[in-house]
Amino acid sequence: MSKTYQIGVIPGDGTGPEVIAEGLKVLNAVSEKTGTKYNFIHYDFGGERYLRSGETLPDSAINELRQLDAIYLGAIGHPEVKPGILEKEILLNMRFSLDLYINLRPVKLYPGVDTPLKDKGPEHIDFVVVRENTEGLYTGSGGFLKKGTSDEIAIQESINTRKGVERCLRFAFEYCRKRNKDKKLTLCGKTNVLTYAFDLWERAFHQVGQEYPGIEKDYAHVDAVCMWMVKNPEWFDVIVTDNIFGDIITDIGAIIQGGMGIAAGGNINPEGTAMFEPIGGSAPKYTGKNVINPLAAIMAGHMMLNNLGEAEAADLIERAVMAIVKDNMKSMDAGRMGTGTSEVGDLVTKYVLDEKK
Ligand code: IPM
Ligand code: MN
């Protein structure tokens, strides 16, 4: 008998529940078609629960989530909650507590999807960013001195541990090898200014890289990476970088692959659980209007199945999405898709159920 995967579902805020509903529809169809089995466990963490009870993500929930095979998240962010609270206490808390040390963000333009890049097509835009997800500027290390006075000092430190950097690099090298495309790994840093943090990254990169003689090692400063992602995206195969640079460059990545409507990401502990999400936010102004694009959430489901080792089921989702974006959608943007949220989910579901091979 095949395994039943235990999957925690956190629809979250704003349009999160709408896109997750479509993602679950597709996952259920994939289950019917391929025999992969899931048990979905729903959690109501997010802005509503916080406003009601003051609770964000209790420790007991973290211990429950730790036991699961995967977590499927919609979006976190509520207009009535001060920015920073939900992000820190739910999203970042999950990343840190579950040690989801890889943030994997594929940037792939599918045929039929518009990119703002002139003269670039699917043959040029197909790379993956491996973002370190538990260190760097995100640890909360630092503080204020003399806050609120004219002498105040704010310190925000970037923490880079040898262990944390090495495990991220090793994942990137392994991923690049398995991906088997150009076999090129680009370290994105800032060795000319951040001479401590990226000195460590660069030394570790070349040291770990010795274990991967078949992979070309490339280095670029983060500002140059931003430029080349726009000018020559075909130069990249796999990019590895720290937390904040990864945050920034993957927004460029999302926009060149067609926008937040289709961009998905995975927060992964390769030795434990993982959390998958559409990388756009909760988009509160579109809530309940059936206009948000569910493909990013559906693609998060695709990534989740791949990470669970269900490549065949994952590929089925990707083929379905490719077919739908080619023939049935005008745009990836909310309100301009030419079809509604649930209709997009229905089209993908129908393709999954009807595909003849
Ligand atoms: C992301 C988001 C988060 C981040 C925010 C919401 C804390 O921008 O997942 O990229 O900065 O990591
Ligand atoms: Mn971001």
Side-chain angles (χ1 to χ4, degrees):
M1 261 219 359
S2 67
K3 179 181 161 109
T4 300
Y5 296 107
Q6 304 299 323
I7 297 178
V9 179
I10 309 177
D13 301 318
T15 51
E18 284 170 70
V19 297
I20 286 298
E22 300 313 311
L24 293 176
K25 209 154 81 179
V26 172
L27 286 168
N28 283 325
V30 170
S31 171
E32 214 178 302
K33 196 67 192 256
T34 66
T36 47
K37 293 199 221 63
Y38 337 101
N39 179 32
F40 296 118
I41 305 143
H42 291 261
Y43 296 92
D44 68 350
F45 303 122
E48 294 295 333
R49 175 159 172 170
Y50 173 71
L51 290 171
R52 214 170 48 234
S53 67
E55 202 166 49
T56 48
L57 186 63
D59 289 347
S60 58
I62 292 179
N63 288 327
E64 257 181 75
L65 295 173
R66 205 190 300 283
Q67 312 301 320
L68 302 176
D69 294 303
I71 302 156
Y72 191 40
L73 178 103
I76 298 293
H78 194 290
E80 284 156 46
V81 181
K82 194 172 145 225
I85 296 177
L86 302 171
E87 291 86 341
K88 266 196 180 153
E89 293 185 21
I90 300 182
L91 193 62
L92 298 183
N93 188 0
M94 232 186 308
R95 288 178 184 169
F96 289 116
S97 303
L98 303 174
D99 202 19
L100 309 176
Y101 65 86
I102 297 297
N103 196 325
L104 191 66
R105 298 190 162 178
V107 178
K108 186 169 178 181
L109 178 69
Y110 291 116
V113 175
D114 275 343
T115 175
L117 301 188
K118 190 164 149 269
D119 302 330
K120 296 292 174 190
E123 68 276 29
H124 305 107
I125 303 173
D126 181 7
F127 61 92
V128 178
V129 178
V130 176
R131 162 185 175 189
E132 200 293 321
N133 211 29
T134 53
E135 299 195 342
L137 281 170
Y138 277 69
T139 63
S141 177
F144 286 112
L145 281 172
K146 304 180 186 172
K147 189 178 175 185
T149 73
S150 57
D151 293 328
E152 74 178 328
I153 300 171
I155 300 171
Q156 196 93 46
E157 289 161 323
S158 175
I159 304 295
N160 299 264
T161 69
R162 181 74 191 201
K163 195 170 141 199
V165 169
E166 242 182 71
R167 65 183 183 174
C168 175
L169 290 168
R170 190 160 275 112
F171 179 92
F173 274 111
E174 288 290 335
Y175 191 87
C176 190
R177 179 155 79 185
K178 283 200 208 95
R179 175 171 152 89
N180 202 18
K181 195 181 166 248
D182 303 333
K183 297 232 179 121
K184 175 178 169 186
L185 180 63
T186 303
L187 172 65
C188 163
K190 190 74 189 170
T191 52
N192 53 348
V193 176
L194 307 181
T195 50
Y196 309 124
F198 282 99
D199 187 81
L200 189 159
W201 272 86
E202 200 178 32
R203 280 183 286 114
F205 182 62
H206 290 293
Q207 191 185 335
V208 175
Q210 285 177 3
E211 296 166 33
Y212 301 88
I215 293 177
E216 184 190 341
K217 286 134 208 110
D218 178 35
Y219 171 83
H221 295 321
V222 62
D223 42 356
V225 167
C226 291
M227 178 174 69
W228 287 327
M229 276 174 73
V230 172
K231 193 167 173 286
N232 298 96
E234 66 279 6
W235 286 358
F236 297 115
D237 176 14
V238 179
I239 299 176
V240 62
T241 192
D242 84 342
N243 209 339
I244 191 73
F245 290 167
D247 176 48
I248 297 166
I249 68 171
T250 53
D251 268 29
I252 304 181
I255 214 71
I256 67 173
Q257 74 176 118
M260 291 299 179
I262 192 157
N267 297 257
I268 301 170
N269 177 329
E271 296 86 37
T273 191
M275 185 264 276
F276 297 86
E277 53 175 350
I279 77 174
S282 58
K285 69 176 176 191
Y286 297 122
T287 305
K289 298 200 160 88
N290 199 41
V291 296
I292 194 83
N293 191 346
L295 288 180
I298 292 170
M299 286 307 290
H302 153 81
M303 290 186 73
M304 178 165 77
L305 291 180
N306 253 335
N307 197 63
L308 290 170
E310 298 290 347
E312 197 192 316
D315 289 349
L316 177 55
I317 298 186
E318 189 180 34
R319 286 197 301 277
V321 168
M322 286 177 76
I324 297 331
V325 297
K326 197 161 142 279
D327 297 326
N328 300 84
M329 293 175 76
K330 288 204 188 103
S331 158
M332 292 301 113
D333 298 345
R336 299 208 201 108
M337 300 189 292
T339 175
T341 307
S342 54
E343 289 71 28
V344 174
D346 288 343
L347 286 165
V348 178
T349 302
K350 187 168 174 346
Y351 182 98
V352 165
L353 294 173
D354 294 352
E355 189 190 55
K356 306 262 183 305
K357 277 226 288 183

